[in-house]
Amino acid sequence: MHRSAPRLSRILACAAVPVMLVVAGCSSDSGDAKESGSSSAPSAKKSEPTVEPAKYAALPDACTSIAKKTIEDLVPKAKTKGGTPGTSSDTASRGSCSWNGLDDNGVKGSQYRWLDVGFTRFDSDQSLGSGAKRATDEYTKQVAKAQATEGAEKPAAKPVAGLGEQATAVTYGLSKSGEDFEYATVLARTGNVVVSVTFNGAGFAGAKTPSAADILKDAQKAAKEAVAAVGADEADAPDKSTASPSPKTSSKAPAKASPKSSKTSAKAKARATSKT
């Protein structure tokens, strides 16, 4: 009986080992499950909608946006035929040019004309909006400003068809320095650019004041050229994406040995063999 007791203890100890291993295995699996459950993929952040890119990246030269022939017709005897450029700290966003001249007809009086063309460009901005939207806001402000010109007599505004994406002509009379002037301001928006053309005229020394209809007609003529100048340089620029053709490689095959040279080499071999 005493000898069987140790033997029984060993049997019970061996029987308990598998149970402990099973328990350890279960606890390990539950830990892995907790870890896998706690680790979840981070949620993707919602991306903000991107604004429409600006249509035009540059402005035309204001002083060359109107044809020389048009300047001669609208502003006879212009002091500076090439125009006087306006000052701008950012020529990529703002530019202007003006012409003025006095056509002296002696005792019949003189005709004075003044023409100004201006461009304002807007870039697209994530916080401020697209360039087109910002240009639309500026266009609306300039139309209201032209209608509210101080001292303007009988101001009137009407839309102009076929000029950019939207256009308005504002006409009014204005008296200054004892003379009566007729004004016409044409405002147009094309893409992200606002075009402004102001034309006015007066008769001096007894000359007849130009009609409002003639002033408006000439202002619209200049405005059409100014709007057409926007983006003209970009359209004419060569496409840099087109690669230049690769240089031609020589397709000539290596020259074949002439029949004469092959015969000569055969004779030489024959002589060498006969000698040996």
Side-chain angles (χ1 to χ4, degrees):
M1 293 297 291
H2 292 285
R3 293 180 180 177
S4 61
R7 184 179 179 185
L8 179 60
S9 299
R10 287 196 296 271
I11 294 171
L12 292 176
C14 293
V17 171
V19 176
M20 295 173 64
L21 292 175
V22 171
V23 173
C26 294
S27 62
S28 176
D29 290 343
S30 63
D32 293 341
K34 289 180 181 179
E35 290 179 3
S36 61
S38 61
S39 60
S40 58
S43 58
K45 293 183 179 179
K46 293 183 179 179
S47 59
E48 296 182 5
T50 56
V51 295
E52 179 187 7
K55 185 175 182 180
Y56 301 110
L59 290 176
D61 182 352
C63 290
T64 60
S65 63
I66 309 296
K68 292 182 179 180
K69 181 65 171 60
T70 303
I71 298 298
E72 292 175 359
D73 293 342
L74 271 57
V75 189
K77 305 292 179 66
K79 291 181 179 179
T80 306
K81 292 184 178 182
T84 302
T87 57
S88 175
S89 59
D90 184 3
T91 55
S93 299
R94 293 180 182 275
S96 64
C97 192
S98 63
W99 298 260
N100 69 85
L102 183 66
D103 187 7
D104 191 352
N105 296 313
V107 294
K108 295 182 180 180
S110 304
Q111 288 291 334
Y112 175 80
R113 297 291 185 273
W114 185 81
L115 174 67
D116 178 86
V117 58
F119 299 92
T120 308
R121 189 187 67 85
F122 294 89
D123 286 319
S124 294
D125 187 278
Q126 189 68 34
S127 59
L128 300 177
S130 67
K133 179 185 178 300
R134 297 176 66 194
T136 300
D137 294 341
E138 177 65 17
Y139 162 81
T140 303
K141 290 178 182 179
Q142 290 197 27
V143 170
K145 183 179 179 180
Q147 290 179 281
T149 299
E150 185 178 355
E153 300 172 2
K154 299 179 180 180
K158 64 177 183 179
V160 179
L163 191 61
E165 293 167 50
Q166 55 186 146
T168 301
V170 180
T171 58
Y172 54 91
L174 191 64
S175 296
K176 55 182 181 180
S177 303
E179 304 292 348
D180 294 329
F181 286 77
E182 285 294 338
Y183 274 78
T185 296
V186 180
L187 294 155
R189 180 186 69 83
T190 173
N192 57 315
V193 176
V194 178
V195 181
S196 171
V197 172
T198 299
F199 186 57
N200 69 64
F204 292 168
K208 187 179 179 180
T209 301
S211 68
D214 288 342
I215 292 295
L216 176 59
K217 180 182 177 181
D218 290 342
Q220 289 179 335
K221 180 181 180 181
K224 287 181 180 179
E225 294 185 12
V227 170
V230 178
D233 292 341
E234 296 178 21
D236 295 338
D239 186 1
K240 293 182 179 180
S241 63
T242 57
S244 58
S246 58
K248 294 182 179 179
T249 57
S250 176
S251 59
K252 293 182 180 180
K256 294 182 179 180
S258 63
K260 291 184 178 180
S261 60
S262 61
K263 288 181 180 180
T264 304
S265 59
K267 288 181 180 180
K269 289 180 180 180
R271 290 175 181 174
T273 306
S274 63
K275 288 181 180 180
T276 57

